[in-house]
């Protein structure tokens, strides 16, 4: 069975004066959230056979900070198609994966990641799915058991959402700002 994990980049700095959205960096809270997620991954011994990531600056920085908390080097394949990708594009990327891989991490952006989780998980009446539908915050991880032995067989409604971990679940100070 194939396991697909999705990580949304950490909180970025809208105040930073960059010319392109692609170049927007993380803010301080985003950096803290990514480190906390990495520490949690280490605690639950999360591992991947392969990582594919958007090459946007905020994704690169998210992975750098996750690494510092995780204590392991992450060596993603950078794929421009993941930058602001739709759920359909992300699903195409998943379906192209070699079947020799079992556990894959995609790191990218919303709304595509959230839409992909909801598409793959289908209309199940499940608390995790409801949480995704309510909001897929920055630096949040969603894990799906695809219910397939081949990546090419990933289909809408064919997966089970097994984890949905938000930074605020690990540290309340990483939740939404008050006010």
């Amino acid at each position: 069975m194939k396991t697909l994990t999705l990580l949304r980049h950490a909180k970025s700095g809208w105040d930073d004066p960059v010319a392109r959205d692609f170049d927007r960096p993380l803010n301080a809270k985003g950096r803290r959230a990514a480190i906390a997620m990495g520490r949690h991954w280490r605690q639950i011994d999360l591992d991947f056979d392969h990582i594919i990531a958007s090459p946007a600056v905020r994704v690169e920085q998210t992975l750098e900070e996750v690494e510092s908390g995780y204590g392991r080097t992450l060596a993603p394949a950078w794929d421009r198609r993941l930058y602001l990708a739709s759920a359909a594009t992300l699903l195409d990327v998943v379906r192209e994966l070699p079947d020799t891989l079992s556990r894959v991490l995609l790191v990218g952006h919303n709304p595509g990641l959230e839409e992909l989780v909801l598409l793959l998980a289908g209309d199940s009446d499940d608390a995790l799915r409801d949480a995704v539908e309510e909001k897929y915050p920055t630096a949040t991880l969603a894990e799906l058991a695809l219910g397939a032995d081949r990546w090419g067989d990933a289909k809408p409604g064919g997966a089970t959402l097994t984890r949905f971990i938000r930074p605020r679940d690990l540290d309340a100070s990483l939740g939404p700002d008050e006010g």
Side-chain angles (χ1 to χ4, degrees):
M1 174 143 20
K2 304 299 183 191
T3 302
L4 178 64
T5 305
L6 307 173
L7 176 66
R8 183 177 176 199
H9 67 79
K11 193 167 205 53
S12 59
W14 286 98
D15 297 343
D16 207 290
V18 293
R20 301 181 313 163
D21 174 74
F22 187 87
D23 298 322
R24 198 160 26 92
L26 296 185
N27 66 21
K29 187 175 185 178
R31 290 184 181 282
R32 288 193 321 272
I35 291 168
M37 290 301 285
R39 286 184 188 129
H40 186 68
W41 292 11
R42 183 177 59 224
Q43 289 172 350
I44 63 174
D45 199 28
L46 198 59
D47 201 12
F48 311 100
D49 299 327
H50 189 60
I51 301 168
I52 305 171
S54 161
V57 168
R58 59 192 177 272
V59 173
E60 289 181 22
Q61 291 179 344
T62 296
L63 288 172
E64 289 169 6
E65 299 298 342
V66 166
E67 277 182 348
S68 70
Y70 190 43
R72 297 183 199 173
T73 299
L74 302 172
W78 303 105
D79 190 330
R80 181 77 182 204
R81 294 178 297 169
L82 271 62
Y83 176 64
L84 303 180
S86 67
T89 298
L90 293 170
L91 186 55
D92 286 345
V93 170
V94 168
R95 287 178 173 159
E96 293 171 4
L97 291 166
D99 291 329
T100 54
L101 302 172
S102 295
R103 299 183 59 82
V104 173
L105 171 66
L106 292 184
V107 188
H109 312 266
N110 251 7
L113 291 177
E114 177 179 334
E115 291 169 355
L116 181 61
V117 171
L118 297 174
L119 176 73
L120 292 173
D123 292 328
S124 63
D125 186 21
D126 174 91
L128 289 179
R129 188 190 185 289
D130 291 347
V132 172
E133 195 166 27
E134 181 181 321
K135 184 170 185 176
Y136 195 128
T138 52
T140 293
L141 176 141
E143 184 181 81
L144 296 142
L146 292 187
D149 292 325
R150 296 183 44 228
W151 293 104
D153 294 336
K155 65 179 189 228
T160 302
L161 183 59
T162 56
R163 294 184 214 241
F164 186 63
I165 305 167
R166 302 167 295 195
R168 71 175 178 227
D169 298 330
L170 310 175
D171 178 346
S173 74
L174 297 171
D177 295 327
E178 297 295 324

